[in-house]
């Protein structure tokens, strides 16, 4: 049985997914997915691969959170204060 970490790596190597997608695919809570993701990022780099994060983006003004270091979705846009934020999308390359 592969670890959740390895399953995340395998899933993201196949397709881009959000934390919610991963949560459904692995039957773990979305909150836990973020913990596993940061470990998966390290395992991936040990395997010569890389966790790629398409940064979250504000759906109202288009502001992109491209300097954000955390993997979680921000709650609101710093520019227009909107709360409609597109989730970050993860993949392994
Ligand atoms: Zn905005």
């Amino acid at each position: 049985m592969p670890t959740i970490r390895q399953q995340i790596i395998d899933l993201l190597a196949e397709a881009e997914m959000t934390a919610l997608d991963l949560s459904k695919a692995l039957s773990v809570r979305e909150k836990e997915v973020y913990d596993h993701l940061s470990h998966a990022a390290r395992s991936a780099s040990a395997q010569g691969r890389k966790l790629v994060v398409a940064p979250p983006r504000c759906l109202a003004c288009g502001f992109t959170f491209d300097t954000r270091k955390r993997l979680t979705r921000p709650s609101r846009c710093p520019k227009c204060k909107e709360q409609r934020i597109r989730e970050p999308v993860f993949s392994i390359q």
Side-chain angles (χ1 to χ4, degrees), residues 57-65 76-85:
R57 194 160 55 89
C58 173
L59 295 173
C61 74
F63 176 84
T64 304
F65 295 76
R76 64 164 59 200
C77 176
K79 212 173 145 193
C80 73
K81 313 295 180 209
E82 263 287 344
Q83 295 186 16
R84 287 177 297 144
I85 309 291

CSV table of all heavy atoms in Angstrom, one decimal, residues 57-65 76-85, ligand 1:
chain,number,residue,atom,x,y,z
A,57,ARG,N,-5.7,32.8,-7.8
A,57,ARG,CA,-6.0,34.0,-8.5
A,57,ARG,C,-7.3,34.6,-8.1
A,57,ARG,O,-8.3,33.8,-7.9
A,57,ARG,CB,-5.9,33.8,-10.0
A,57,ARG,CG,-5.8,35.0,-10.9
A,57,ARG,CD,-5.3,34.7,-12.3
A,57,ARG,NE,-6.1,33.7,-12.9
A,57,ARG,CZ,-7.2,33.9,-13.7
A,57,ARG,NH1,-7.5,35.2,-13.9
A,57,ARG,NH2,-7.9,33.0,-14.2
A,58,CYS,N,-7.4,35.9,-8.0
A,58,CYS,CA,-8.7,36.5,-7.7
A,58,CYS,C,-9.6,36.5,-8.9
A,58,CYS,O,-9.1,37.0,-10.0
A,58,CYS,CB,-8.4,37.9,-7.2
A,58,CYS,SG,-9.9,38.9,-7.0
A,59,LEU,N,-10.8,36.0,-8.7
A,59,LEU,CA,-11.7,35.9,-9.9
A,59,LEU,C,-12.3,37.3,-10.2
A,59,LEU,O,-12.9,37.5,-11.3
A,59,LEU,CB,-12.8,34.9,-9.6
A,59,LEU,CG,-12.3,33.4,-9.5
A,59,LEU,CD1,-13.4,32.5,-9.0
A,59,LEU,CD2,-11.7,33.0,-10.8
A,60,ALA,N,-12.2,38.2,-9.2
A,60,ALA,CA,-12.8,39.5,-9.5
A,60,ALA,C,-11.9,40.4,-10.2
A,60,ALA,O,-12.3,41.0,-11.2
A,60,ALA,CB,-13.2,40.1,-8.1
A,61,CYS,N,-10.6,40.6,-9.8
A,61,CYS,CA,-9.8,41.6,-10.4
A,61,CYS,C,-8.6,40.9,-11.1
A,61,CYS,O,-7.8,41.6,-11.8
A,61,CYS,CB,-9.3,42.6,-9.4
A,61,CYS,SG,-8.0,41.9,-8.3
A,62,GLY,N,-8.4,39.6,-11.0
A,62,GLY,CA,-7.3,38.9,-11.7
A,62,GLY,C,-6.0,39.0,-11.0
A,62,GLY,O,-5.0,38.5,-11.5
A,63,PHE,N,-6.0,39.5,-9.8
A,63,PHE,CA,-4.8,39.5,-9.0
A,63,PHE,C,-4.3,38.1,-8.8
A,63,PHE,O,-5.0,37.2,-8.4
A,63,PHE,CB,-5.0,40.2,-7.6
A,63,PHE,CG,-3.8,40.1,-6.7
A,63,PHE,CD1,-2.8,41.1,-6.8
A,63,PHE,CD2,-3.7,39.1,-5.8
A,63,PHE,CE1,-1.7,41.1,-6.0
A,63,PHE,CE2,-2.6,39.1,-4.9
A,63,PHE,CZ,-1.6,40.1,-5.0
A,64,THR,N,-3.0,37.9,-9.1
A,64,THR,CA,-2.4,36.5,-8.9
A,64,THR,C,-1.5,36.5,-7.7
A,64,THR,O,-0.6,37.4,-7.5
A,64,THR,CB,-1.6,36.1,-10.2
A,64,THR,OG1,-2.4,36.2,-11.3
A,64,THR,CG2,-1.0,34.7,-10.1
A,65,PHE,N,-1.7,35.5,-6.9
A,65,PHE,CA,-0.9,35.4,-5.6
A,65,PHE,C,0.4,34.7,-5.9
A,65,PHE,O,0.8,33.6,-5.4
A,65,PHE,CB,-1.7,34.6,-4.6
A,65,PHE,CG,-2.9,35.2,-4.1
A,65,PHE,CD1,-4.0,35.3,-4.9
A,65,PHE,CD2,-3.0,35.8,-2.9
A,65,PHE,CE1,-5.2,35.9,-4.5
A,65,PHE,CE2,-4.1,36.5,-2.4
A,65,PHE,CZ,-5.3,36.5,-3.2
A,76,ARG,N,-9.0,36.0,1.1
A,76,ARG,CA,-9.5,37.2,0.3
A,76,ARG,C,-8.3,37.9,-0.4
A,76,ARG,O,-7.2,37.7,-0.1
A,76,ARG,CB,-10.2,38.1,1.2
A,76,ARG,CG,-9.3,38.8,2.3
A,76,ARG,CD,-10.0,40.0,2.8
A,76,ARG,NE,-11.3,39.7,3.4
A,76,ARG,CZ,-12.2,40.6,3.7
A,76,ARG,NH1,-12.0,41.8,3.4
A,76,ARG,NH2,-13.4,40.2,4.2
A,77,CYS,N,-8.7,38.6,-1.4
A,77,CYS,CA,-7.8,39.3,-2.3
A,77,CYS,C,-7.3,40.6,-1.6
A,77,CYS,O,-8.0,41.4,-1.1
A,77,CYS,CB,-8.5,39.7,-3.6
A,77,CYS,SG,-7.5,40.7,-4.7
A,78,PRO,N,-5.9,40.8,-1.5
A,78,PRO,CA,-5.4,41.9,-0.9
A,78,PRO,C,-5.6,43.2,-1.7
A,78,PRO,O,-5.6,44.3,-1.1
A,78,PRO,CB,-3.9,41.6,-0.8
A,78,PRO,CG,-3.6,40.7,-1.9
A,78,PRO,CD,-4.9,39.9,-2.1
A,79,LYS,N,-6.0,43.1,-2.9
A,79,LYS,CA,-6.1,44.2,-3.8
A,79,LYS,C,-7.6,44.8,-3.7
A,79,LYS,O,-7.8,45.9,-3.5
A,79,LYS,CB,-5.7,43.9,-5.2
A,79,LYS,CG,-5.1,45.0,-6.0
A,79,LYS,CD,-4.6,44.5,-7.3
A,79,LYS,CE,-4.8,45.5,-8.4
A,79,LYS,NZ,-4.6,44.9,-9.7
A,80,CYS,N,-8.5,43.9,-4.0
A,80,CYS,CA,-9.9,44.3,-4.1
A,80,CYS,C,-10.8,43.8,-2.9
A,80,CYS,O,-12.0,44.1,-2.9
A,80,CYS,CB,-10.5,44.0,-5.4
A,80,CYS,SG,-10.9,42.2,-5.6
A,81,LYS,N,-10.2,42.9,-2.0
A,81,LYS,CA,-10.9,42.4,-0.9
A,81,LYS,C,-12.0,41.4,-1.2
A,81,LYS,O,-12.8,41.0,-0.4
A,81,LYS,CB,-11.5,43.5,0.0
A,81,LYS,CG,-10.6,44.7,0.3
A,81,LYS,CD,-9.4,44.2,1.2
A,81,LYS,CE,-8.5,45.4,1.4
A,81,LYS,NZ,-7.1,45.0,1.6
A,82,GLU,N,-12.1,41.0,-2.5
A,82,GLU,CA,-13.0,40.0,-2.9
A,82,GLU,C,-12.7,38.6,-2.2
A,82,GLU,O,-11.5,38.4,-1.9
A,82,GLU,CB,-13.0,39.8,-4.4
A,82,GLU,CG,-14.1,40.6,-5.1
A,82,GLU,CD,-15.5,40.0,-4.9
A,82,GLU,OE1,-15.5,38.8,-4.5
A,82,GLU,OE2,-16.5,40.7,-5.2
A,83,GLN,N,-13.7,37.8,-2.0
A,83,GLN,CA,-13.4,36.5,-1.5
A,83,GLN,C,-13.5,35.3,-2.5
A,83,GLN,O,-13.4,34.2,-2.2
A,83,GLN,CB,-14.3,36.2,-0.3
A,83,GLN,CG,-14.0,37.2,0.8
A,83,GLN,CD,-14.7,36.9,2.1
A,83,GLN,OE1,-15.3,35.8,2.3
A,83,GLN,NE2,-14.8,37.9,3.0
A,84,ARG,N,-13.8,35.7,-3.7
A,84,ARG,CA,-13.9,34.7,-4.8
A,84,ARG,C,-12.5,34.4,-5.3
A,84,ARG,O,-12.0,35.2,-6.2
A,84,ARG,CB,-14.8,35.1,-5.9
A,84,ARG,CG,-16.3,35.0,-5.5
A,84,ARG,CD,-17.2,35.5,-6.6
A,84,ARG,NE,-16.9,36.9,-6.9
A,84,ARG,CZ,-17.0,37.5,-8.1
A,84,ARG,NH1,-17.3,36.7,-9.1
A,84,ARG,NH2,-16.7,38.7,-8.2
A,85,ILE,N,-11.8,33.4,-4.8
A,85,ILE,CA,-10.4,33.2,-5.2
A,85,ILE,C,-10.4,31.8,-5.8
A,85,ILE,O,-10.9,30.8,-5.3
A,85,ILE,CB,-9.5,33.2,-3.9
A,85,ILE,CG1,-9.7,34.4,-3.1
A,85,ILE,CG2,-8.0,33.0,-4.3
A,85,ILE,CD1,-9.2,35.7,-3.7
B,1,LIG,ZN1,-9.1,41.0,-6.4
